[in-house]
Amino acid sequence: MKYDVVIIGGGPCGLSAAIAVKEKGLSYLVIEKGNIVESIYNYPTHQTFFSTSEKLEIGNMPFVNEERKPRRIHALTYYREVAKRKEINIHTYEKVTGVERINDAEFTVQTETVKGEQHEYSSGAVIIATGYYDNPTYMNVKGEDQGHVFHYFKEGHPYYDKDITVIGGKNSAVDTALELQKAGARVTVLYRGQDYSPSVKPWVLPDFVSHVNHGRIAMHFGANVLEIGEDHVIYEKNGEEASVKADFVFAMTGYHPDHSFLHKIGIDIDKETGRPAHHPETMETNVKNVFICGVIAAGNNANEIFIENGRFHGHLIAEALTAPRQ
């Protein structure tokens, strides 16, 4: 089937782009390898957003919430309702396996469903809104691939009365350490920075510092992980090796976009910043009629673009698609 636009990624920014192109009268299809807003579903169970609810709104639908800052469950409920009310045309549990450029105004998008069914769609333009949460940044240290080492955190209960090492010092690491401590785990945090990260949410940091100061969480700055063993983590600090007991390890070392997918399409990537080449006023890449949307535009700096500003990319793209072209 032929569409004006195929949108790859069904997160908040991808859904926002779908609404924007639909309002312009363009035919479209959203393809999402999980379910809608899969990245938010994968957040920790009790995750609280940095943004207020109105800054997470898309499609001019109010995000009514009794709390100033919504939690994960509120966002899931809201975006499901948006998808329902806006009647967004989306194929979930279908993964894009390739994008082939036929010419400047025709692309073929290949997909595969979770049941192994293969499909092919034709479109005049492609919007990539895949985010970065699916791709953890690995430390590449010995033992990182063991079964008790995780790069995602869901909730603390399974780790009651266990020795846990959290690697990292930014928001995800701090949130993970607090949830684990609350659940009764003995928590040690190893962070290569020399002080608390300025990116940690300001309403969370005082609580975390208090736990550290009272000895409820062990915090080690300037700690570089060397190896992860079966029941311990070896790290270097001030030129000396040390070891900490660890039944489980949470390596909260960040995430990054899938550059290989972009390269295959022909999109240029800045080697230093990881940013895909694109025009900021249209979000069009160096490949004509291929656009990027959401946090993927930030490259390696995932703290630069959030839902609250990435949600507007769809409007820029819709305007560009319907404006007279040279």
Side-chain angles (χ1 to χ4, degrees):
M1 185 172 181
K2 175 71 180 287
Y3 295 94
D4 293 324
V5 187
V6 166
I7 301 168
I8 305 172
C13 296
L15 297 180
S16 179
I19 294 168
V21 299
K22 181 179 182 179
E23 289 176 347
K24 287 289 187 179
L26 300 175
S27 63
Y28 72 94
L29 171 65
V30 180
I31 303 173
E32 166 56 48
K33 67 180 180 180
N35 211 321
I36 64 167
V37 295
E38 183 80 4
S39 60
I40 294 177
Y41 169 74
N42 287 323
Y43 283 0
T45 303
H46 307 294
Q47 178 77 43
T48 298
F49 280 82
F50 184 91
S51 304
T52 54
S53 57
E54 65 269 16
K55 292 184 177 180
L56 301 177
E57 294 175 353
I58 60 174
N60 293 318
M61 274 193 60
F63 186 169
V64 179
N65 185 50
E66 70 277 9
E67 299 178 17
R68 176 168 173 75
K69 294 184 181 297
R71 290 180 283 116
R72 166 185 170 274
I73 188 63
H74 301 141
L76 291 176
T77 303
Y78 170 74
Y79 290 118
R80 287 199 305 266
E81 192 64 20
V82 170
K84 177 182 177 181
R85 293 196 182 189
K86 294 294 183 177
E87 299 181 325
I88 294 176
N89 183 28
I90 182 168
H91 288 190
T92 55
Y93 298 104
E94 187 170 343
K95 182 179 181 179
V96 173
T97 56
V99 176
E100 180 182 356
R101 176 180 171 274
I102 308 302
N103 54 54
D104 284 348
E106 186 177 0
F107 298 84
T108 300
V109 180
Q110 297 96 21
T111 70
E112 183 175 355
T113 70
V114 292
K115 296 181 179 180
E117 300 168 345
Q118 296 184 348
H119 299 282
E120 191 170 279
Y121 307 96
S122 178
S123 71
V126 175
I127 300 173
I128 303 171
T130 49
Y132 65 93
Y133 198 63
D134 290 337
N135 304 289
T137 299
Y138 294 103
M139 298 176 291
N140 296 316
V141 299
K142 184 178 179 181
E144 188 176 13
D145 58 349
Q146 296 178 92
H148 68 291
V149 181
F150 308 103
H151 289 271
Y152 297 92
F153 174 77
K154 201 68 177 177
E155 56 185 323
H157 174 76
Y159 310 101
Y160 163 73
D161 197 32
K162 296 298 179 182
D163 293 292
I164 311 295
T165 296
V166 177
I167 302 171
K170 296 187 178 179
N171 279 310
S172 59
V174 168
D175 287 340
T176 297
L178 287 171
E179 287 293 327
L180 287 165
Q181 192 279 330
K182 188 193 305 182
R186 295 177 292 276
V187 184
T188 298
V189 179
L190 303 178
Y191 180 41
R192 63 184 180 181
Q194 298 300 323
D195 201 351
Y196 295 106
S197 171
S199 68
V200 177
K201 291 172 283 195
W203 66 89
V204 171
L205 185 58
D207 186 28
F208 182 74
V209 172
S210 176
H211 279 75
V212 171
N213 291 343
H214 287 86
R216 293 187 289 266
I217 293 176
M219 181 77 192
H220 296 282
F221 294 103
N224 294 296
V225 174
L226 303 177
E227 181 181 336
I228 301 174
E230 292 182 358
D231 59 1
H232 65 282
V233 175
I234 300 173
Y235 63 98
E236 180 270 331
K237 181 177 179 180
N238 298 326
E240 297 183 0
E241 285 191 14
S243 176
V244 59
K245 186 177 179 182
D247 296 313
F248 296 94
V249 176
F250 286 91
M252 313 307 290
T253 49
Y255 309 92
H256 62 273
D258 183 2
H259 287 158
S260 64
F261 180 75
L262 301 179
H263 277 302
K264 288 178 183 177
I265 301 174
I267 298 173
D268 294 333
I269 307 293
D270 185 277
K271 292 182 179 179
E272 184 176 341
T273 65
R275 289 190 181 91
H278 67 282
H279 195 294
E281 294 181 5
T282 64
M283 306 307 293
E284 187 172 23
T285 69
N286 59 287
V287 180
K288 190 173 181 180
N289 283 318
V290 176
F291 301 79
I292 54 175
C293 177
V295 71
I296 195 171
N300 297 329
N301 186 8
N303 291 321
E304 183 178 293
I305 297 178
F306 304 91
I307 297 172
E308 64 182 57
N309 50 8
R311 61 185 173 146
F312 298 117
H313 292 167
H315 299 283
L316 299 177
I317 296 169
E319 290 291 339
L321 285 169
T322 53
R325 303 297 292 264
Q326 295 294 330

